[in-house]
Amino acid sequence: MIIEDWHDEAAYRALADYDGPAWAWEFLRRNPGYQAEWAEFNRTWQALEAAYGRPPDRDFCAWKNDPRA
C-alpha cells in the first residue's frame, strides 16, 4: 500500500483490516536495511539470470555452482 499523504488520516483506513503478517510486512518494507538487502539481492538475481537464463531454459547446474547463488 502506498500512502501519498501520511498526514491524511483517511489514507490509513485500509490498514484497519490488516492482520499480524500484513502489519509486519508494512513495517519490514519501510525498513531501510531491508530495502538495501532487497536491492542487493535483486541485482545479484538479475546478474545470475543474465548469465544463466530464466526457467525453463536456465542452466541450473552452472547457476548452483556460482558462488553468488
Side-chain angles (χ1 to χ4, degrees), residues 2-63:
I2 296 175
I3 297 176
E4 298 296 331
D5 180 7
W6 64 272
H7 291 96
D8 182 10
E9 186 177 323
Y12 288 88
R13 286 198 183 110
L15 301 177
D17 296 328
Y18 274 26
D19 59 3
W23 274 110
W25 171 241
E26 277 299 316
F27 285 100
L28 178 62
R29 73 180 189 85
R30 297 174 191 211
N31 180 293
Y34 171 79
Q35 292 171 358
E37 286 184 30
W38 169 254
E40 178 61 28
F41 167 80
N42 195 42
R43 280 191 295 276
T44 301
W45 187 269
Q46 296 301 319
L48 288 166
E49 282 197 337
Y52 305 114
R54 300 180 72 183
D57 301 318
R58 176 177 290 150
D59 182 348
F60 287 101
C61 292
W63 176 297

